[in-house]
């Protein structure tokens, strides 16, 4: 389940040990708080893929997105959504 609102990182990543830890470390090192996080495997096979969504408290820079992308991330998008009604 995902409750998207505010700033959301939408991430397509390799489903392998350590990815979640690397994501949290990069965000923490850059003083970005995780409000909510959801992840699910979306494809099995030789290369397993997962979709991760992370609600964060503030916008992140392109520099931070590049650091995240270096952690077995295939694609990452920062989305800003309207406030919840």
């Amino acid at each position: 389940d995902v409750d998207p609102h505010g700033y959301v990182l939408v991430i397509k990543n390799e489903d392998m040990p350590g990815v979640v830890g690397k994501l949290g470390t990069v965000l923490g090192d850059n003083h970005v708080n995780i409000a909510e996080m959801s992840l699910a495997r979306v494809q099995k096979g030789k290369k397993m893929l997962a979709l991760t969504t992370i609600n964060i408290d503030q916008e992140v820079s392109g520099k931070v997105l590049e650091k995240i992308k270096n952690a077995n991330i295939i694609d990452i998008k920062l989305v800003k959504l309207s406030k919840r009604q």
Side-chain angles (χ1 to χ4, degrees):
D1 293 330
V2 177
D3 182 16
H5 58 278
Y7 292 101
V8 181
L9 294 172
V10 180
I11 302 166
K12 183 177 180 182
N13 59 280
E14 293 180 46
D15 183 24
M16 58 188 297
V19 173
V20 171
K22 289 177 185 176
L23 288 169
T25 297
V26 171
L27 292 173
D29 287 349
N30 289 277
H31 310 286
V32 178
N33 190 50
I34 296 173
E36 295 178 53
M37 183 173 180
S38 176
L39 55 107
R41 184 177 293 157
V42 294
Q43 178 181 334
K44 287 186 176 183
K46 290 183 182 177
K47 187 173 185 177
M48 293 187 291
L49 301 177
L51 179 67
T52 304
T53 58
I54 303 175
N55 290 29
I56 53 178
D57 289 344
Q58 74 267 5
E59 189 170 5
V60 296
S61 69
K63 181 179 173 184
V64 172
L65 293 177
E66 281 302 313
K67 287 180 182 178
I68 292 171
K69 200 163 186 179
N70 291 329
N72 299 97
I73 302 303
I74 296 164
D75 193 22
I76 182 168
K77 301 286 186 223
L78 174 64
V79 179
K80 182 180 179 187
L81 300 171
S82 308
K83 292 182 180 181
R84 290 188 270 187
Q85 298 293 333

